[in-house]
Amino acid sequence: MLRNLLASRRTLLGCLLLGMILWGGSSAFADPTAPVAIDSNTDKVNSGDTAWMLTSAALVLMMTGPGLALFYSGLVRRKNVLATMMQSFILMAIVSVVWAIVGFSIAFDAGNPFFGGLHFAFMKNVWMFPSEYAPTIPFSTFMVYQCMFAVITPGLICGAYAERMKFSAMLLFSVLWLLVVYCPLAHMVWGKGGLFNFAMQPGGSLKFPALDFAGGTVVHISSGVSALICALVMGKRRGYGKIPMAPHSVVISVIGAALLWVGWFGFNGGSALSAGGGASSAFVATHFAAAAAALGWMFAEWLKTGKPTVLGAISGAVAGLVVITPASGFVGPMSALIMGAVGGVVCFFAATSLKHALGYDDSLDAFGVHGIGGTIGALLTGCFAQQFFNPSVPDSAMNGIFFGGKQLGNQAVATVISWVLAIVGSFILLKITDVVCGLRVSESEEFDGLDITQHGERGYNLEEEFGGTVLDGGSSGSLGSAITGTQTKVSHA
Amino acid sequence: MLRNLLASRRTLLGCLLLGMILWGGSSAFADPTAPVAIDSNTDKVNSGDTAWMLTSAALVLMMTGPGLALFYSGLVRRKNVLATMMQSFILMAIVSVVWAIVGFSIAFDAGNPFFGGLHFAFMKNVWMFPSEYAPTIPFSTFMVYQCMFAVITPGLICGAYAERMKFSAMLLFSVLWLLVVYCPLAHMVWGKGGLFNFAMQPGGSLKFPALDFAGGTVVHISSGVSALICALVMGKRRGYGKIPMAPHSVVISVIGAALLWVGWFGFNGGSALSAGGGASSAFVATHFAAAAAALGWMFAEWLKTGKPTVLGAISGAVAGLVVITPASGFVGPMSALIMGAVGGVVCFFAATSLKHALGYDDSLDAFGVHGIGGTIGALLTGCFAQQFFNPSVPDSAMNGIFFGGKQLGNQAVATVISWVLAIVGSFILLKITDVVCGLRVSESEEFDGLDITQHGERGYNLEEEFGGTVLDGGSSGSLGSAITGTQTKVSHA
Amino acid sequence: MLRNLLASRRTLLGCLLLGMILWGGSSAFADPTAPVAIDSNTDKVNSGDTAWMLTSAALVLMMTGPGLALFYSGLVRRKNVLATMMQSFILMAIVSVVWAIVGFSIAFDAGNPFFGGLHFAFMKNVWMFPSEYAPTIPFSTFMVYQCMFAVITPGLICGAYAERMKFSAMLLFSVLWLLVVYCPLAHMVWGKGGLFNFAMQPGGSLKFPALDFAGGTVVHISSGVSALICALVMGKRRGYGKIPMAPHSVVISVIGAALLWVGWFGFNGGSALSAGGGASSAFVATHFAAAAAALGWMFAEWLKTGKPTVLGAISGAVAGLVVITPASGFVGPMSALIMGAVGGVVCFFAATSLKHALGYDDSLDAFGVHGIGGTIGALLTGCFAQQFFNPSVPDSAMNGIFFGGKQLGNQAVATVISWVLAIVGSFILLKITDVVCGLRVSESEEFDGLDITQHGERGYNLEEEFGGTVLDGGSSGSLGSAITGTQTKVSHA
Amino acid sequence: MQMIEAVIKPHKLDAVKTALAKLGILGVTAVECKGFGRQMGHTERYRGAKMDVGFVPKVLLKICVKSEESAKAVSEIVEAARTGEVGDGKIFVYPIAEVVRIRTGEKNEQAL
Amino acid sequence: MQMIEAVIKPHKLDAVKTALAKLGILGVTAVECKGFGRQMGHTERYRGAKMDVGFVPKVLLKICVKSEESAKAVSEIVEAARTGEVGDGKIFVYPIAEVVRIRTGEKNEQAL
Amino acid sequence: MQMIEAVIKPHKLDAVKTALAKLGILGVTAVECKGFGRQMGHTERYRGAKMDVGFVPKVLLKICVKSEESAKAVSEIVEAARTGEVGDGKIFVYPIAEVVRIRTGEKNEQAL
Ligand SMILES: Nc1ncnc2c1ncn2[C@@H]1O[C@H](COP(=O)(O)OP(=O)(O)O)[C@@H](O)[C@H]1O
Ligand SMILES: Nc1ncnc2c1ncn2[C@@H]1O[C@H](COP(=O)(O)OP(=O)(O)O)[C@@H](O)[C@H]1O
Ligand SMILES: Nc1ncnc2c1ncn2[C@@H]1O[C@H](COP(=O)(O)OP(=O)(O)O)[C@@H](O)[C@H]1O
């Protein structure tokens, strides 16, 4: 007990130090970045672009709920189905509130290469006027679209700690993680003046313009690698590898995967921030990558184990969507198809052979799919990108190495930094959370399931005949029968 | 029996009288309103606005099916799951047909302050040309978007009479309710020349311009209050308060709630009738209110009972969506957040403490969430509205009281009138329905469940092994095996 | 065995011959068609139209997954639920890949009246520039929208061979069918210079301009009639007509049907290829037809059997959507309502009385709904079409017979040719598939269910308590517990 | 000791449990089951195919009691579970050779 | 009277019921169960984790008959339920001390 | 022969099966059931309505053994299934008149 606490204290101290160094260091890089320009002329708002971006925002929210909620909760055991859904659902709520208060500002206000400022805190100035980020749509549309990305990213991590994390710990960790890992990384990649931002970098010298169209690093590497850390720090589920932990309903996982696929059109297609050739190109790349990856995983599995599983096909599709995410706006349809196929096969081996060889318990393969898939995607973007498909890329030197460019290097740098940030950040935050409220439920709670122990509910009450007792509720008042005077007529069959 | 009938007769008489007074009275108010202008120039149709409105219409239909169908059917017992889904689904059908024939016209044709005329009956003139209501989209788009609102509103009431109403009664009541309560109320609030219409009121003196962006009064108060009347008139489910009536699958309710959240972007965002700052602002308000309300309900419950339930979180989100509905186009993001939080907490107490204290059996809390939530929302709109967020508001005096305006009064008037209309209308229509076909199923039917007794089906046939007999179907003809001549090759494993 | 093989050989030979005749014959018709024009000026891309078309594409994919996957898998027995979902899901993958490689080109490149050329193979030239097909959206948007149609069409056939076809056979057959039946038919109806294309036919004499707005012939007749052939060639499920084969979960079928309804707005509304009056008109027609058909089927059943079933109502809605598909862009709202009602009633009899009278086992009524519904729809389009609702129709002689035109004849020709192509094509392809890998699973596999025998999975593991053994996976490595040094703190309740 | 097995209508479970509790019998094991007998299952229809479900859902209760309590327990169950309509179910009484409480290893009457 | 308990393959349920009906035995109670024995469960794979399900789904039938009918009933069940493959199941026959029909209170042979 | 019926905690199933296998007993039939007894069910809350589930999920095992093996089997089950907490369950031993293996028609001890 004491030793644990001491250990934790020491860890904490280390963390604080590291944090200060990072924060301090960041100011060294800081160029005086001009504030984000907001155009008070709403005439420039384009209704078509706005329509598409609002639709995309809705689609991206649908990816978390019900998409991810279903995909993940189908894979857990019956006793944890609601708790797993709740993780997705409550992130829709809590991340959005944090985003409104301060998250968006950290990510998208101009600032140093690592953090944004606080001009947009409490949604100040985030109204109907278009901004520099997307000059044809209201700034509030841009903000809410980005909000949906912030919602899903910590949601992806849930796959790693499913079936054993305390609900309170999960809430705390997710909020911290959003502020410490996600928002800074989003700032680096997409924020004005961010370290990797290729489009809006006011002349910084220490910069690595990286291509990340819709969040290969920001969303998938960050969450996938953090998921690995979660799996390692939290340890395995009790009985893992000894008792079977078969998915309680692949049926609902299939629904979830299909909705993820559909929603991803908003995720990638919407990242064009307008409705035109760019969105269309990203949409197509997304679709073909998912298709090829589903086949890739399925056929790899069919060859290796003799049976093509449904869970394999849907996992493959998701892997393909992950892989294409950073590339979607920069590659042509056939490149997307190839990237998807590669991603499907590699993630198959990551989520099966690799995981079992190393023996960590990433319950739902958040690392195998998002961590590995995101990494592959970021690197392959440096192979397949073509300026042709995205005129906003300033220089054809940023083409992938297969198309005469030399972008692979910068992609690797961005990838490594994302890994490091995710590893260090998640480790520290898990330790903090552990100290504050403990990470894991007790053995008996894990045995009884999170649904009943964390939430006091069960997912399915299909055997209604076994009764029970109403302890409280519904019996005290009598309005229901009294007020109407004469009883309502009841027809007899 | 006889007494019941007599009582019913007397009630009916009273109703008729009241109806005539209302109708008569209405003509007293009637100003000669100009017909709804339709512009035969399709050039003014804006593709972006149309794209958004069609998308929104699809989203709003998705709220009813599968959204509401799932949300509600998860909360009933297994034996009533299909019947509850059917209520939502069949309203998608029957309301749409009635809407085409006459409903739309009553609501949106110019008329007196209470009813529209019949110029649009049978969809006459409701074609591709834009109208005065929304000058940048086809009138047919406006009509079908409004149709989706008419579909979901009676659907919300289902929550109150779930698990005990006859299917035929439910059909009859819903159609009558649509014509007698919904359409007139929609006309008052949104119809040209309507009593509360602030935008299109040609100089009427006896008017109360009210702010109801997307239907706080028209949709939520009307349905929620009617739900209370249903619960009171129909009486409790047998065994209510004595035997547990746990939701048979909170899992599918979570799916439903998430789809409601996503669909609500169309509901509120679409109510701007165009894709620009207004839609964006309403979209953002919707999202933040839902998020804050989910947290509000969850934390209130956590504090009060010691456990944060999943059903609580999703109910909270829905409550927040209800509360923000009338306000969504008039308030800023932080106001929305506060409104949502308030709504979540208040509805928590309404659906738990209040209901149990009074003892009526509003099975799925249609009143607690929509009636209370809608009322709070209508009133808070009178506190938080800001002309800044909606330039179509003619006068900054219509700001909420927190922003220097004095709109609260009119909001209260609109709220009260909506309550009265819903109470009186629903009571009368329930009595009529009771006389015509009886409201409740018999005791034994209620016991066996509505699925089997009303529809002859069961929701889940998971134990397929127990066989049974095919009485009829599939055995008479022989085309299936005969026509192909040689039997198809069957491979043996 | 030998006899079967010989029989198959003979069949094959016949098929090849027939194929050659067809192909040869086709060149006789061939006019030298100009290539599809592509406009390298992206300025003509309209953001609103593009927004709507991307949204529509997403909606149409959602129809297959999760829509169709749910609708169909709810109707099979528990042991086949995953296999049935997999059929829809894997088609999303494999059809898309084939479409990218060659399918799109066959369907939409200019060519002879029956096939397109190969200019668009491997997605060559299918980029962000608008094309002749839809001059306001990127060609890639058009391509991916059409891709979603190609995905769902073979998916519809699954309903006929559900619960008994080998997974490998299903894959092979679907790909062949896409190339041999779907792509040519799509070319004839929508492709430049196609046999039935009314809009883009450069002066061919042997042409039958047919109205098929969104695929009554291409999608529904082709798949529905092929489904009948599948049912006949494959024979009945074992025990059909003797043991009950009740749907294992009408609940998920209702979700599926509702999503189909919503998605169909993209299917029909998107077929306008722009966001304006045409899309709006198609959207409205779609909605009213579905509504009327749900009521039509339900009331027909209620009258005939005494109970309105939920499965009936949702089947009716789907039937109405099928019927209106070819007509949606050409008819007014009230015509749509009538067409839907007729379709609902007729399909009710087709899927119940007709099927049982003839005795084939079309497991999920793919023929009864899509074959019959598509046929009715194609013919009724020739009755109700009005140039008024679609100015792109060149001539008011193409009005339906109820509106002074004489289009019914051409509609009949297109219908007959679609039937013939579907019958001949499917029969041949089934025989080929049978020779290559066998169509049906073995008796014991059919008995154990396709989930476990084809995919090695079960859909629901609700009784987790009965344990089992982990044979492999998760136990070898030890990273999960080792790396973190100190065990994570586990809180005790 | 004897084992009483009672096949009853599911909604009578609570009444039976209450009746047993009055006799001081608190231990019961319940199993979902399907009954075939005089009472008929209901009819379902899916796309025009009419099917008879054949069975009726029942609950099978197992109650182990001391032999001398058996008669009383049976008559109480009969009382509590009766509706008077076909399908009320049956009670079967078995002789039992031995009973053990797993937690303590106690045997027979002490184990109840 | 005796209680026949037969553990059979689920798809043989109909055949067994038909066979019993021929003997005039219409009352049966059926319970879903899982059998462990010589017959092996199947193998499933989820993301590369291979697992053996261990059990095989079976149906447990309970049929109470007069002692003199028992032998005939058992042999009819054996006949109807046999496929000849491993896993066809077992029949257990128990002595019964008493039977009661809940609806009427009738006892023993009258209660069947 | 005797029929051992053991009502156990579900997660003890594997341990019990292993223990029986050590005695050479491989045939077992398992039934999901709900137990009412000293151990209490948990509490659930739905929209403020608090309800007590009443029962606890258990597994009922049926193991038919030769009479002479019965005592040993029972004590092994007790060993394997015990956690020491309330709700560990009970074992009931019934006399059996006859056992038949359906596949072969073999009787009694040969049938096991
Ligand atoms: N001979 C029997 N053996 C086992 N169970 C029986 C027997 N007869 C009846 N049952 C069970 O008792 C239930 C009620 O029997 P049924 O004949 O329907 O009504 P009743 O007991 O009122 O005559 C049946 O559903 C079945 O589960
Ligand atoms: N000793 C036993 N006690 C209880 N049930 C048994 C016993 N032996 C077998 N069974 C049941 O009988 C079923 C069939 O037994 P199994 O050994 O698989 O095949 P067979 O009966 O053909 O030898 C098992 O699945 C199990 O349910
Ligand atoms: N008299 C009884 N008859 C049948 N089953 C019983 C009896 N008493 C207990 N049981 C079963 O045994 C289980 C455990 O009993 P319980 O009283 O909770 O704990 P313990 O066995 O440790 O005293 C119960 O859940 C019930 O299923």
Side-chain angles (χ1 to χ4, degrees), chain E residues 7 34-39 58 85-90 92, chain F residues 3 27-29 62-64 101 103 112:
Chain E
V7 179
K34 322 278 175 184
F36 301 86
R38 281 181 191 75
Q39 190 192 1
K58 301 275 173 198
E85 280 164 40
V86 160
D88 275 351
K90 304 257 187 288
F92 308 106
Chain F
M3 175 63 83
V28 176
T29 302
K62 302 178 82 106
I63 311 124
C64 185
R101 163 175 285 134
R103 171 163 50 95
L112 288 181

Side-chain angles (χ1 to χ4, degrees), chain B residues 52-399:
Chain B
W52 174 239
M53 292 313 298
L54 292 179
T55 305
S56 292
L59 284 171
V60 180
L61 186 69
M62 192 187 74
M63 288 174 67
T64 306
L68 192 68
L70 286 167
F71 185 61
Y72 274 175
S73 67
L75 298 180
V76 299
R77 286 164 293 169
R78 176 178 176 168
K79 62 188 175 186
N80 296 316
V81 56
L82 281 184
T84 307
M85 295 193 113
M86 181 67 158
Q87 292 171 350
S88 293
F89 194 86
I90 210 63
L91 287 172
M92 289 164 61
I94 205 160
V95 167
S96 302
V97 170
V98 174
W99 190 250
I101 293 171
V102 72
F104 177 68
S105 199
I106 297 180
F108 288 98
D109 190 10
N112 62 40
F114 299 97
F115 307 87
L118 294 176
H119 293 97
F120 301 139
F122 292 98
M123 294 288 101
K124 198 151 165 263
N125 296 311
V126 188
W127 298 325
M128 57 284 257
F129 313 110
S131 77
E132 198 177 344
Y133 283 108
T136 61
I137 60 172
F139 196 31
S140 60
T141 302
F142 177 78
M143 178 282 297
V144 83
Y145 178 67
Q146 291 296 341
C147 178
M148 305 316 185
F149 279 61
V151 163
I152 199 171
T153 309
L156 297 171
I157 308 178
C158 304
Y161 54 68
E163 308 202 279
R164 57 200 186 284
M165 197 174 198
K166 285 171 83 170
F167 180 63
S168 53
M170 176 263 157
L171 277 184
L172 178 61
F173 172 71
S174 299
V175 170
L176 293 176
W177 189 88
L178 184 80
L179 294 173
V180 173
V181 178
Y182 183 82
C183 290
L185 200 52
H187 183 79
M188 292 184 220
V189 177
W190 297 321
K192 182 165 186 181
L195 187 66
F196 306 128
N197 191 321
F198 73 84
M200 292 167 73
Q201 45 165 347
S205 50
L206 247 165
K207 299 213 164 169
F208 308 93
L211 298 177
D212 185 356
F213 194 68
T217 50
V218 184
V219 174
H220 297 292
I221 293 184
S222 73
S223 63
V225 172
S226 298
L228 179 63
I229 304 306
C230 286
L232 293 173
V233 170
M234 298 202 51
K236 303 176 184 183
R237 284 167 291 173
R238 282 164 222 281
Y240 179 68
K242 266 163 263 152
I243 55 167
M245 296 178 169
H248 92 282
S249 169
V250 177
V251 170
I252 66 178
S253 293
V254 176
I255 312 177
L259 290 176
L260 282 171
W261 189 331
V262 171
W264 225 292
F265 292 135
F267 197 91
N268 289 355
S271 289
L273 301 176
S274 63
S280 182
S281 172
F283 190 113
V284 169
T286 304
H287 185 61
F288 287 153
L295 296 181
W297 185 308
M298 184 187 77
F299 283 117
E301 188 174 36
W302 204 342
L303 285 174
K304 200 180 156 219
T305 73
K307 288 235 163 100
T309 66
V310 180
L311 180 54
I314 63 174
S315 306
V318 173
L321 293 162
V322 169
V323 167
I324 204 62
T325 294
S328 51
F330 304 115
V331 301
M334 295 316 285
S335 302
L337 217 141
I338 296 165
M339 286 180 67
V342 171
V345 175
V346 174
C347 289
F348 164 66
F349 286 103
T352 55
S353 312
L354 179 69
K355 181 172 74 167
H356 295 150
L358 296 181
Y360 59 88
D361 177 14
D362 174 8
S363 321
L364 316 179
D365 294 307
F367 173 68
V369 172
H370 297 277
I372 300 292
T375 302
I376 296 171
L379 299 178
L380 289 183
T381 304
C383 302
F384 287 99
Q386 283 174 275
Q387 201 194 16
F388 176 77
F389 290 103
N390 197 323
S392 84
V393 174
D395 186 351
S396 75
M398 289 183 74
N399 272 1

Side-chain angles (χ1 to χ4, degrees), chain A residues 388, chain C residues 34-45 104-105 108-110 118-121 123-143 192 200:
Chain A
F388 175 77
Chain C
V36 174
I38 292 181
D39 186 341
S40 67
N41 186 351
T42 55
D43 284 2
K44 295 199 184 132
V45 170
F104 176 66
S105 199
F108 287 99
D109 190 11
L118 295 176
H119 293 97
F120 302 140
M123 294 288 102
K124 198 150 165 263
N125 296 312
V126 187
W127 299 326
M128 57 283 258
F129 312 111
S131 77
E132 198 177 343
Y133 283 109
T136 60
I137 60 173
F139 196 29
S140 60
T141 302
F142 177 77
M143 179 280 299
K192 181 164 185 181
M200 293 167 73

Side-chain angles (χ1 to χ4, degrees), chain A residues 268-291:
Chain A
N268 289 354
S271 289
L273 301 176
S274 63
S280 182
S281 172
F283 191 114
V284 168
T286 304
H287 185 61
F288 286 153

Side-chain angles (χ1 to χ4, degrees), chain D residues 27-29 62-64 101 103 112, chain F residues 7 35-39 58 85-90 92:
Chain D
V28 176
T29 302
K62 301 178 83 106
I63 310 123
C64 184
R101 163 176 285 135
R103 172 162 49 96
L112 288 180
Chain F
V7 179
F36 300 86
R38 282 182 189 73
Q39 190 193 0
K58 302 274 173 199
E85 281 163 41
V86 160
D88 275 351
K90 304 257 187 290
F92 309 105

Side-chain angles (χ1 to χ4, degrees), chain B residues 78 82 242-244 447 452 455-459 461 463 466-474, chain D residues 9-12 14 32-34 36 42-55:
Chain B
R78 176 178 176 168
L82 281 184
K242 266 163 263 152
I243 55 167
F447 182 77
I452 205 70
H455 305 293
E457 295 162 293
R458 278 181 305 152
N461 287 293
E463 319 89 343
F466 287 93
T469 324
V470 180
L471 301 179
D472 178 17
Chain D
K9 292 191 167 165
H11 69 286
K12 282 298 185 181
D14 267 330
E32 276 187 271
C33 64
K34 322 277 174 184
F36 299 87
H42 56 257
T43 297
E44 298 175 16
R45 246 178 213 285
Y46 298 101
R47 291 240 178 101
K50 196 170 161 190
M51 41 191 79
D52 188 347
V53 169
F55 62 81

Side-chain angles (χ1 to χ4, degrees), chain A residues 251, chain C residues 68-77 80-82 84-85 248-249 252-253 364:
Chain A
V251 169
Chain C
L68 192 68
L70 285 167
F71 185 61
Y72 274 175
S73 67
L75 298 181
V76 300
R77 287 163 293 170
N80 297 316
V81 57
L82 282 184
T84 306
M85 294 193 113
H248 91 281
S249 170
I252 67 179
S253 293
L364 317 179

